[in-house]
């Protein structure tokens, strides 16, 4: 199922996309639910990021070709960092380039959303804690990332975590093990990889992270980016498309 979050006036709700129509999601997203009344056509619905995480966990250098383009070693264990939930922006929302940076870059990534609280989950069981997956963009102020020994600033600006367009639920671990991931800027392909290239699988990353911190329903895990990261300029349109999942499109604007 494709799950969206949408706004009607000042109220935000969960919805389900059936064909090109949004229906209300009735029940508990993390428990049992069913599609309810029709809200309206998908293209007339204002979509929000399809997650409400307590934290966004990211992993650096999880594709060998991306590590190589930064002349970095592939880590022997996952290199985790956090983005704040305030960085989220939904499909169509603008990525705002902050004045502090002269080099903001896209990083198209497979995003995994946690469905139940877990702590110290083993990799073999970790996928059972997943609610669904989405397209993500780990937008990065590369110059600030290089300047700071911690990446909080370079990765943490508002709008630096586009996510969407929806959450695809009900997938098996094998369903996401080898998907094509493409990132385009103004229609030109900048990144093209496959999720099979990941050094650490989503399940391994969940296990590793859950040995550090309790994962809560709605928490988000960005699984790293393939090679080809590059700059974003005002007026650009950046797309992250993942096979069988969806296409996330965001315009880029100057602050
Ligand atoms: Zn990244």
């Amino acid at each position: 199922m494709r799950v969206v979050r949408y706004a009607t006036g000042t109220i935000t709700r969960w919805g389900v996309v059936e064909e090109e129509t949004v229906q209300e999601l009735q029940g508990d997203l993390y428990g049992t639910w069913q599609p309810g009344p029709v809200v309206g056509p998908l293209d007339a619905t204002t979509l929000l990021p399809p997650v409400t995480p307590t934290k966004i966990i990211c992993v650096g250098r999880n594709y060998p070709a991306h590590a190589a383009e930064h002349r970095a070693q592939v880590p022997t264990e996952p290199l985790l960092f956090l983005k704040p939930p305030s960085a989220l922006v939904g499909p169509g929302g603008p990525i705002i380039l902050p004045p502090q940076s002269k080099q903001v870059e896209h990083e198209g990534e497979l995003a995994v959303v946690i469905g139940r609280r877990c702590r110290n989950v083993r990799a073999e069981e970790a996928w059972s804690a997943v609610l669904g997956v989405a397209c993500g963009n780990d937008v990065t102020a590369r110059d600030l990332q290089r300047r700071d020994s911690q990446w909080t600033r370079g990765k943490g600006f508002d709008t630096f975590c586009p996510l969407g367009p929806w959450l695809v639920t009900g997938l098996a671990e094998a369903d996401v093990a080898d998907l094509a991931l493409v990132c385009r800027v103004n229609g030109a392909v900048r990144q093209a990889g496959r999720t099979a290239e990941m050094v650490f699988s989503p399940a391994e990353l969940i296990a590793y992270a859950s040995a550090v911190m309790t994962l809560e329903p709605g928490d988000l895990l960005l699984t790293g980016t393939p090679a080809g990261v590059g700059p974003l300029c005002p007026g650009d349109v950046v797309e992250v498309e993942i096979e069988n999942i969806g296409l996330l499109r965001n315009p880029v604007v100057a602050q």
Side-chain angles (χ1 to χ4, degrees):
M1 299 293 274
R2 292 177 291 167
V3 173
V4 293
R5 226 170 110 245
Y6 63 94
T8 51
T10 57
I11 296 171
T12 64
R13 292 186 194 281
W14 295 101
V16 186
V17 180
E18 296 273 18
E19 309 216 331
E20 294 307 305
T21 301
V22 177
Q23 293 177 247
E24 246 181 61
L25 183 153
Q26 291 189 324
D28 176 7
L29 175 62
Y30 304 106
T32 56
W33 53 266
Q34 61 283 319
V38 169
V39 177
L42 177 62
D43 60 10
T45 306
T46 303
L47 297 182
L48 305 171
V51 283
T52 53
T54 70
K55 52 194 164 294
I56 302 169
I57 304 169
C58 305
V59 57
R61 300 171 197 154
N62 200 32
Y63 286 74
H66 172 60
E69 71 182 344
H70 285 158
R71 294 188 177 81
Q73 298 288 323
V74 173
T76 53
E77 57 184 341
L79 173 62
L80 299 185
F81 60 95
L82 294 171
K83 278 167 108 81
S86 48
L88 282 166
V89 63
I95 296 168
I96 301 170
L97 303 179
Q100 295 96 319
S101 173
K102 293 187 166 38
Q103 189 188 1
V104 174
E105 297 191 340
H106 54 83
E107 293 190 1
E109 309 200 359
L110 175 75
V112 176
V113 178
I114 299 297
R116 64 171 168 83
R117 176 176 286 185
C118 59
R119 167 89 173 135
N120 278 326
V121 65
R122 293 189 307 129
E124 298 75 34
E125 303 162 345
W127 192 261
S128 68
V130 171
L131 177 66
V133 305
C135 305
N137 194 339
D138 174 20
V139 178
T140 302
R142 195 73 65 201
D143 48 353
L144 305 185
Q145 183 193 22
R146 292 215 177 93
R147 203 180 304 163
D148 297 349
S149 60
Q150 300 277 334
W151 299 352
T152 306
R153 188 169 62 136
K155 297 280 192 177
F157 285 96
D158 287 0
T159 76
F160 271 26
C161 192
L163 195 88
W166 40 61
L167 188 59
V168 179
T169 64
L171 297 176
E173 187 173 5
D175 294 332
V176 305
D178 187 17
L179 299 178
L181 188 163
V182 176
C183 180
R184 299 180 203 88
V185 177
N186 305 327
V189 173
R190 293 273 194 86
Q191 298 182 268
R194 301 196 67 86
T195 57
E197 298 165 34
M198 286 183 200
V199 179
F200 302 102
S201 70
E204 289 170 325
L205 294 171
I206 291 166
Y208 189 84
S210 80
V212 179
M213 60 191 93
T214 301
L215 303 182
E216 300 285 354
D219 280 355
L220 186 58
L221 175 74
L222 295 182
T223 56
T225 200
V229 300
L232 295 172
C233 302
D236 285 349
V237 174
V238 58
E239 296 174 337
V240 178
E241 184 169 16
I242 303 177
E243 178 183 8
N244 297 340
I245 305 301
L247 191 159
L248 169 68
R249 180 182 294 120
N250 298 88
V252 180
V253 302
Q255 183 171 306

